[in-house]
Amino acid sequence: MKKTLLVFCALALSFGSLAACSKPDAAGTASQKVGDSKAAADDFSEKMTITWMARSFQGGGWPDDSPMIQALNKKFNVDVKMQWVPAANYKEKLNVLAASNDFPDVFLVLNPEFNKWKKQGLFLDIQPTLTQYPNLAKIPKDPLYALNPKDKLLGLPYYITENRDTLSVREDWLKKLGLSAPKTFDEFYEVAKAFALKDPDGNGKQDTTGFSLYYDTTSNSIKDIEFIMAGFGLYNQWADVNGKLVPYQTQVAEWKNLLTFLNKAYNEGVLDKDFPVNKIRSTVDKFESNKVGFAYLNPNDWKNHQAAIKKLVPDAAITPLGPPKGPTGKTGTANVDMLDKNVINAKIDPKKQQRILKILDYFLSPEGSDYIKNGIEGVHYKKTADGKFEKLEAADKDRQNLFNNWVLRPFDPSIQMYKWEDPAYHQMIRDMFTQNDKYTWKNKAAGLESETLTKSGANLNLKWWETVSKIIMGREPVSVIEKASADWLAGGGNKIIEELNVSYKE
């Protein structure tokens, strides 16, 4: 009883001007139908149930009685019903909902599905009333309007630091084997081979490997391979060559060099042989489990990565490093395009649409962004006598930052830097981001439209990466990539090149 009362009081104090006493303002209005600015504003008097589907990662999402959801319900007089779908199954779930025409009120749409469905009237057009939501209107224009039809805003981008993940190495393994952090591909291979064959964990077994990859079902491609692709001179899908967009499927010579390298690594045990069945985060899990020596890690989770490894190996140490130079001196790192969209169901009650927009706008406000990141004062953190902040036990229990991490958050690299943390730790993270920015490897066609790509791109990509996987595992010779390239072009690739270049020039 005392604990319940404490949480209630903390909620009331933290959201003093929120919920039941809240009154609508100009930012709380939206159109009764698209473009109708005379529609009645939602005055928050009616309690609404909002169904919300989000992508989830390790640990899954909150239960509906989470203090964070209770606080949101109280502020906006709603009953939010969250559906947390694991990232590995999210694309499948979207297509199941599409087949039954049973979408929730607000949900994340992956960019291939957004392109397929954006002309079907499924998503609310926010553009006519965008100025009434000042925090949404401040989203940078390029990511805000990417993929959206001209003069429409059907989805809001999910922000992610473009050059976020950092190639990292087990520093303690290097020291044990008398090795230095690699700066070239030759050095990288020799270090990774030593990690695989020279028992860096000291257990007397050959149960470690150099590096791993995983298969991403969302994009139908292999991931954590980016720094190797860039080093061998491959494009990040598409590059501008003399003013024309060119796809990596045409880079046969570069692919042969890359696949020869990876096939050798696979045969010698340097590359994790389970890579074809690895899923998202498998590479990180294996790194944290003392099985792999190199991995891409999220600097925002650096403390968690360290803590996980130290549970198994108290003296373990990890360090970030720049991507090694390829045979011709080229480098690059993983780059993420902000193309996935948060959308509102166009078929639901207009007042509910307004309420959702008000919530999303709040998430990006100074007060709201503090709430979705740091949680509720008195529940998840407290202010100390010296004016600093202290994290409370409930923060770890409740994982107060899931809206911020998985739903919608400000366009700011500090999205996962918490007010109770050491400023020096924040600077370390920023330094990693700064280093990563030196190796930007952009996809020049990101956000461009092609009807053929929308219809056939996923299947063409699937076939391409299936062939790549078979070659890496030695089930097909490296020369087969020549046929894969020709098949991609003949199967729709030539048309995709033509259409994307038209879009690029526009």
Side-chain angles (χ1 to χ4, degrees), residues 67-351:
M68 293 297 291
I69 292 181
Q70 290 177 358
L72 192 68
N73 288 344
K74 182 172 177 62
K75 175 174 175 58
F76 290 98
N77 195 22
V78 292
D79 183 12
V80 171
K81 300 295 185 184
M82 294 297 302
Q83 183 177 9
W84 304 93
V85 179
N89 308 116
Y90 200 83
K91 183 173 184 176
E92 178 185 359
K93 180 65 176 179
L94 281 174
N95 284 284
V96 168
L97 293 174
S100 61
N101 194 26
D102 186 26
F103 288 110
D105 298 329
V106 56
F107 56 106
L108 180 79
V109 181
L110 305 175
N111 70 84
E113 282 65 39
F114 183 80
N115 266 339
K116 282 193 295 184
W117 300 335
K118 65 186 177 184
K119 296 180 181 178
Q120 298 181 16
L122 298 175
F123 313 137
L124 175 69
D125 182 9
I126 303 167
Q127 184 61 42
T129 55
L130 180 62
T131 56
Q132 299 174 17
Y133 303 95
N135 300 299
L136 299 179
K138 290 178 184 176
I139 295 174
K141 300 303 180 186
D142 285 349
L144 181 63
Y145 288 101
L147 300 186
N148 280 281
K150 187 176 181 180
D151 300 324
K152 292 183 181 292
L153 181 57
L154 304 181
L156 299 168
Y158 168 79
Y159 170 77
I160 190 167
T161 308
E162 289 182 294
N163 298 314
R164 185 196 68 182
D165 293 350
T166 297
L167 187 63
S168 307
V169 65
R170 283 290 297 273
E171 180 72 22
D172 55 314
W173 284 13
L174 289 174
K175 290 180 179 178
K176 180 174 181 179
L177 300 178
L179 301 169
S180 300
K183 295 182 179 180
T184 68
F185 267 25
D186 287 343
E187 292 173 358
F188 169 78
Y189 193 88
E190 290 308 311
V191 171
K193 187 173 182 178
F195 286 170
L197 303 180
K198 295 187 177 180
D199 193 24
D201 60 351
N203 67 355
K205 301 177 183 179
Q206 194 171 314
D207 58 354
T208 56
T209 193
F211 65 102
S212 187
L213 311 171
Y214 75 90
Y215 193 83
D216 179 20
T217 56
T218 299
S219 62
N220 290 325
S221 63
I222 295 172
K223 294 294 186 181
D224 283 10
I225 194 176
E226 291 87 352
F227 74 99
I228 304 175
M229 291 178 63
F232 277 106
L234 283 155
Y235 311 143
N236 183 359
Q237 301 182 57
W238 295 82
D240 182 325
V241 181
N242 299 321
K244 182 180 179 180
L245 288 177
V246 179
Y248 64 18
Q249 286 88 350
T250 62
Q251 294 184 279
V252 173
E254 289 84 354
W255 275 105
K256 284 183 176 180
N257 292 335
L258 168 77
L259 293 170
T260 299
F261 176 88
L262 289 176
N263 174 248
K264 178 183 177 183
Y266 182 86
N267 289 336
E268 294 185 353
V270 177
L271 167 61
D272 173 21
K273 293 196 173 184
D274 290 333
F275 83 88
V277 296
N278 286 342
K279 295 183 179 181
I280 189 169
R281 212 182 185 281
S282 292
T283 54
V284 175
D285 288 339
K286 291 184 177 186
F287 187 87
E288 292 180 345
S289 300
N290 207 39
K291 298 298 181 185
V292 174
F294 290 95
Y296 268 118
L297 300 181
N298 180 353
N300 291 314
D301 286 335
W302 201 257
K303 283 185 177 178
N304 294 329
H305 296 314
Q306 287 182 315
I309 295 173
K310 285 180 177 293
K311 281 184 179 179
L312 298 175
V313 185
D315 295 330
I318 56 177
T319 189
L321 68 158
K325 293 180 180 180
T328 61
K330 293 183 177 180
T331 61
T333 195
N335 174 269
V336 181
D337 301 312
M338 287 180 279
L339 298 177
D340 295 342
K341 305 291 184 182
N342 283 286
V343 300
I344 298 171
N345 193 326
K347 308 299 184 184
I348 62 175
D349 187 294
K351 286 190 176 181

